[in-house]
Amino acid sequence: MLAALFTPPVLFAAPGTLMLSGQIRYRDGNLLTESCTLRLPRLRRIETTASDGSFMLGDLPPGKITVQVWLYEQFADSFTVALGDSSLQLGPLQLVPLSLSHAETATTLNEAGSTEQVTADDAILPQAGMLLNSNDLFIANSFTFSGYGFRARAYPGQQQEVYLGGVLLNSPVDNQANFQLWSGLSEVMKAQRSGNRIEANADGPGGLSGSRNYLLHAPYQTPQRKFSYTLSNRGYDHRVQFFYCPEKTTSGMMYSCAITRQWAIESRVPATASDQYALYASAAKSFRKTMLAASLVYQNSYRELKSAATDEVYTLAGTHYYNANWGWQNGVKRNARGATAGTPLLALHCEHTPSENTQWSFALATQLYMQANRGLDWQDAPDPRPDYYRNLPSFLSKDNPQGAVAAEQLLLANPSRLQIDWMRLYETNQLNYYTHQYAEEGLIKNIYGRRALYVLASDVEQQHTMHFRTHVRHDITANTQLHASFSWNSTHAHRYKQLDDLLGGDYFLNHNTYAQQSYPGNADAMRNDLNTPDKELHKGDHYKYDYHISAQHIQLFAQLEKDFRRWTLFTSVSGAVNSMQRTGTYRNGLFPGQSFGKGSTLLLPAVTLKNGLTWKINGRHYLSARIYLRQTGPEDFDQAFVAPAMRDQPAAAAGMLQSVIVSAECAYIVHAPKWNIQFNAYQTERRNITQILRYYNDEPEYQCFVNMVQTHLNIRHTGLEFAASYDLSPRITLNGIAAIGQSYFSNNPDVRIFSDNDTALSEGLKKVSIRNYYAGAGPQTVIGAGCRINAPHRWSLKLNAGYTDRNYVRINAGRRSAAAAENIDPSGISGKAIFNQERLPAALLSDMLLSKSFRVRKSKTRPREYFIFFCYLSVSNILNRTDIKTSGYEQLRYNFTDNDPETFPNKYIYAVGRTYALGINFKW
């Protein structure tokens, strides 16, 4: 953030020819020795300061102007001024030395004293306004905790709107943006603006976590040529990036492109290879009042997955890096679980500025998306997972203690038995000769061959989405601004299960073995598709489920902002309609009338209201309050239909209601020459939530996969946040952060259980008591401190230490019922084991970032042109703590027969040990 004291006098100019002047300096007050770049995104202008940092920007329109400051081609920060009828002359602005990466550090532009005697109150001008904070100090300093499960205020991912290339990217299917689209293009995505939490947001209503707008097109990219390489032992071993964006041509053309790849043969967790590459290209043409742009993004990724495990399995394996998803095959580690994703997006954008007070934009995009999650599947055969509970000593110990001890010793002596036995799976399939009989055109046919009992298959989702958005900004006066937009998203999705590998078999059958157990003698019940009954399956065929989703989202939004001498206020309103429809391709044998063809269409309206007020106490102290109201139905298809893979059954039949969100927050912010302080208090109520959980239910009346539909569920989020930074000296900055939150269930929801195999579609009512249990959304207490040292010769060192606590496992609501503890005293040892929620141990964290930059003059004839190099070493978890449980959950499967929670104990994910990233960036 930049905060400055304005020097009197102001410069007077005719409307449309306003000027803004000032000087950027180093934090220690010394003059710059190299010019820096000033970017004005709203006006699509790029300017350069003098070598001493002084600047004078002319031909500016009245209203708010945002200026981004770049030095050595690295983003420093941005500031916003509100120009009235007169130009503005700023005092010297001291610049915090830049770090290597804007994404990994929290660099800011701090307030500088003016050479003139100006009081803080004089800095608040009714028309010129104040320099506004563009970064959230708390969010910027919470980076240390991001790898340990911390989520600010424990809000879910659907509570953030994401814009890319001018369109709303959140999918109408699940109301989430597909992170796979841009995760590899970090250099391109640095051009962005964000609305944090429930503050004013020009792009749209946002969610509880605000919004983020990635400025994809070439005019918003910084002109540069950059190559970078990183060596790491984190999620990848190597990362290579190239980014090219030349200066704007004299004809008004702008171009930019990027290519990146990152890959790992194996990360810290065994058998977790990954490979990801991304491409980006953009071109734009600027006319007098119009800018046209087109951008293409493509990313493809593959990664092998790790698994959570119980403490028993981690102990048997002797490592917290244990991964149950792999096994040895012909001397090579083979992982059964993997995720593949690919998504191209083409975005077109038009900006038209009919007058200096109005800007109108149109954006159109088309996106294809494919994701396939691979895993083991089996029929009429034992569970092949090596950590399956029946394969562990703890299960044997109940009936055969001696056998449990022998099994434990065997596993300790042979760790490979805790991995997938690929050889056994192949042998089982190759020895299973079977005569398959089926009917075709009235004739009975037989197929003799090796029927596969174990296969590899993928859950596939393909989407085609069209995005359209138009947005208008109009400066009613120099202090009053109106934003309005219309968005339309339409998605057609296709979901199915695909056979990938027969593992030595000849064919596979499209049968539901659980239905066969529930309805013995009913041949149709076990058939997943009556349209093609008993079809033998081969590699690439679909089976189990196959259906389409049609979803649309239409949204209208308007926001009004007003600046007064001592106050700033805003109000916004948004109305939206979501529609969802399922179309089945299979006629399921259990639900022939509810599975095939077009189903019912759900229309789910949504209304959002947001208001905020900021009191400018003086030029350094600000107090703000905001309120957010939203009413909507389920915005996730999987939470709006009970069992979409099997049938068309809207959750409305299970008591689904419109959910309501009520949120309020207040903030106190101080910007002083050496201090920056932010204090937040918030409370959020999320009411009437519908949540559907799917799992295998061991209760005697089910013994199959079920859908637990929780309705009227309320969750409360409340807490305090604090962040501060202090300039101990011109070269040393200290910072601190703390958050204490409470995210918990505030009522006992209504619970209905629907069986996948119950043809009557009947519901089993269940009374659960989860009130005051924590929501299980990561650490709810975090405390951190850091120090940044900017040494001579462009060396920089950043050290951080953190503490996390009150991290609770995610609960199984079914365990908080009478059936789960029949005839057991809740206050006794057994009762506490069932009902108590486990609190994970507190953790100490540490990380550091060491960087060095240097320049090499290109030639003697061009003394002001340099090759720029940035070298850095980032180390996380310096203490090499491998015993930190970052997350955990209670298994939804529960032993109702014995009321024993240890039959299916909690599973955990542990933090990896010390990790590093060593890289170099080269710019020319």
Side-chain angles (χ1 to χ4, degrees), residues 611-729:
N611 296 280
L613 180 68
T614 298
W615 177 28
K616 311 168 191 176
I617 303 173
N618 55 41
R620 295 176 180 173
H621 299 261
Y622 313 104
L623 185 64
S624 63
R626 292 176 284 268
I627 188 169
Y628 175 94
L629 305 172
R630 181 173 175 83
Q631 181 173 347
T632 181
E635 297 175 296
D636 185 343
F637 179 86
D638 289 322
Q639 301 301 313
F641 289 83
V642 173
M646 302 275 297
R647 57 188 182 264
D648 179 65
Q649 184 183 1
M656 178 186 74
L657 295 175
Q658 289 281 99
S659 63
V660 177
I661 299 175
V662 180
S663 181
E665 67 177 16
C666 61
Y668 174 65
I669 299 175
V670 179
H671 297 313
K674 289 189 175 183
W675 280 100
N676 284 291
I677 299 174
Q678 179 176 331
F679 181 83
N680 304 322
Y682 65 91
Q683 179 157 319
T684 300
E685 298 278 352
R686 297 166 53 217
R687 302 170 182 164
N688 291 336
I689 300 170
T690 297
Q691 186 178 77
I692 303 178
L693 304 174
R694 300 174 174 91
Y695 61 100
Y696 187 90
N697 193 315
D698 270 275
E699 291 183 80
E701 64 266 35
Y702 294 107
Q703 297 288 316
C704 64
F705 283 94
V706 301
N707 307 272
M708 178 190 288
V709 182
Q710 301 181 64
T711 57
H712 307 162
L713 175 66
N714 297 343
I715 300 178
R716 178 175 297 162
H717 309 260
T718 184
L720 303 173
E721 299 168 337
F722 172 80
S725 67
Y726 175 68
D727 296 337
L728 186 64
S729 73

Side-chain angles (χ1 to χ4, degrees), residues 259-391:
I259 182 171
T260 179
R261 186 190 178 199
Q262 64 183 43
W263 68 97
I265 298 176
E266 184 176 66
S267 68
R268 296 296 296 273
V269 178
T272 51
S274 65
D275 194 5
Q276 178 189 82
Y277 60 88
L279 305 171
Y280 159 79
S282 179
K285 170 69 174 177
S286 180
F287 301 94
R288 182 171 175 269
K289 292 187 176 183
T290 305
M291 185 270 289
L292 301 176
S295 297
L296 175 66
V297 175
Y298 176 74
Q299 180 160 303
N300 187 282
S301 65
Y302 169 74
R303 57 191 177 93
E304 294 175 340
L305 306 178
K306 65 178 181 179
S307 63
T310 64
D311 272 341
E312 178 189 12
V313 176
Y314 283 123
T315 301
L316 291 171
T319 175
H320 291 152
Y321 296 155
Y322 172 74
N323 182 11
N325 294 333
W326 70 275
W328 292 102
Q329 183 178 359
N330 299 326
V332 178
K333 294 178 182 178
R334 184 180 183 182
N335 195 317
R337 294 193 61 204
T340 301
T343 174
L345 178 141
L346 174 64
L348 306 177
H349 187 69
C350 174
E351 277 188 13
H352 179 59
T353 309
S355 69
E356 61 188 21
N357 296 326
T358 304
Q359 185 181 73
W360 201 345
S361 65
F362 301 86
L364 179 67
T366 180
Q367 177 187 0
L368 299 176
Y369 169 64
M370 187 282 294
Q371 178 170 328
N373 295 316
R374 187 191 68 228
L376 282 170
D377 195 11
W378 58 95
Q379 293 177 352
D380 301 324
D383 194 317
R385 294 171 296 179
D387 61 342
Y388 182 55
Y389 79 105
R390 290 181 176 272
N391 298 332

Side-chain angles (χ1 to χ4, degrees), residues 27 726-734 786-791:
R27 169 168 289 192
Y726 175 68
D727 296 337
L728 186 64
S729 73
R731 293 189 179 276
I732 300 177
T733 300
L734 306 178
C787 174
R788 174 161 182 168
I789 303 172
N790 297 299

Side-chain angles (χ1 to χ4, degrees), residues 477-498:
T477 67
N479 302 321
T480 306
Q481 193 172 78
L482 174 68
H483 293 271
S485 67
F486 169 78
S487 296
W488 169 78
N489 291 3
S490 178
T491 296
H492 178 81
H494 186 195
R495 292 180 175 178
Y496 54 89
K497 199 170 190 71
Q498 177 177 284

Side-chain angles (χ1 to χ4, degrees), residues 826-899:
S827 61
I829 297 177
S830 299
K832 290 181 178 180
I834 296 173
F835 289 105
N836 285 5
Q837 183 177 13
E838 182 183 359
R839 177 173 172 173
L840 300 180
L844 293 175
L845 319 174
S846 57
D847 61 68
M848 60 85 68
L849 174 65
L850 176 67
S851 64
K852 161 70 175 174
S853 65
F854 58 92
R855 301 178 298 170
V856 177
R857 186 176 288 114
K858 289 185 177 180
S859 67
K860 294 182 179 180
T861 59
R862 295 184 292 177
R864 292 188 178 276
E865 296 185 15
Y866 297 91
F867 297 109
I868 302 174
F869 296 85
F870 289 89
C871 304
Y872 68 92
L873 172 64
S874 172
V875 180
S876 298
N877 197 353
I878 297 175
L879 301 178
N880 198 28
R881 294 281 305 276
T882 61
D883 59 342
I884 299 175
K885 292 179 177 179
T886 60
S887 62
Y889 62 89
E890 297 175 355
Q891 296 191 61
L892 296 177
R893 195 172 183 180
Y894 180 76
N895 183 355
F896 284 92
T897 302
D898 301 324
N899 293 325

Side-chain angles (χ1 to χ4, degrees), residues 376-391 420-421 424-425 428-429 432 451-455 503 508 513-514 517 893:
L376 282 170
D377 195 11
W378 58 95
Q379 293 177 352
D380 301 324
D383 194 317
R385 294 171 296 179
D387 61 342
Y388 182 55
Y389 79 105
R390 290 181 176 272
N391 298 332
I420 296 175
D421 189 346
R424 183 179 67 84
L425 303 187
T428 300
N429 288 343
N432 187 45
R451 176 194 168 192
L453 302 181
Y454 297 102
V455 297
L503 302 181
F508 195 61
T513 55
Y514 294 103
Q517 297 171 9
R893 195 172 183 180

